[in-house]
Amino acid sequence: MANPAILALTTEANQALAEQLATTLLERQLAACVALKPVHSFYRWQGRIERSEEVQILIKSHPACAAALEEAVHSLHSYSTPQWLVWSAQAGEAYAAWLNECCAIS
């Protein structure tokens, strides 16, 4: 299986913001699929341990979209320092073809 893909992870403050971000990324063809999941987050921020309800956003995309995807997320995100984690993945043949089509990869 040599079909490259990327997975990117971020969070948003609430469901509405997460849905808005997901929709924009899909409309711009920077993602093939965006999965949203409510989470309870604990983190250190400005010297204190914080806790919040957030929506985790898992973005499935093509490596050719990585830079534009990151730029879009940072410009559209409601947080000043959004979580941004990206890792490489390998996709099955049919999924890779669908991902390429969704992300306008020829």
Side-chain angles (χ1 to χ4, degrees):
M1 182 178 351
N3 302 300
I6 60 168
L7 300 170
L9 190 65
T10 191
T11 56
E12 253 301 1
N14 60 51
Q15 187 71 25
L17 289 170
E19 289 179 12
Q20 183 178 25
L21 179 59
T23 300
T24 300
L25 297 176
L26 291 166
E27 288 171 345
R28 293 184 183 182
Q29 293 186 291
L30 296 173
C33 177
V34 182
L36 307 179
K37 179 180 179 181
V39 295
H40 306 283
S41 296
F42 293 79
Y43 53 94
R44 183 174 296 281
W45 181 248
Q46 298 179 343
R48 295 182 14 204
I49 294 178
E50 300 286 342
R51 167 189 186 148
S52 63
E53 305 298 316
E54 297 180 297
V55 177
Q56 187 177 74
I57 303 169
L58 179 62
I59 305 162
K60 297 127 188 183
S61 186
H62 189 277
C65 298
L69 179 61
E70 180 176 9
E71 183 179 320
V73 168
H74 280 83
S75 70
L76 297 167
H77 210 284
S78 68
Y79 295 168
S80 61
T81 307
Q83 176 189 63
W84 187 247
L85 303 171
V86 179
W87 59 98
S88 297
Q90 295 297 314
E93 193 70 35
Y95 191 87
W98 172 76
L99 189 141
N100 291 347
E101 179 185 332
C102 292
C103 295
I105 304 298
S106 52

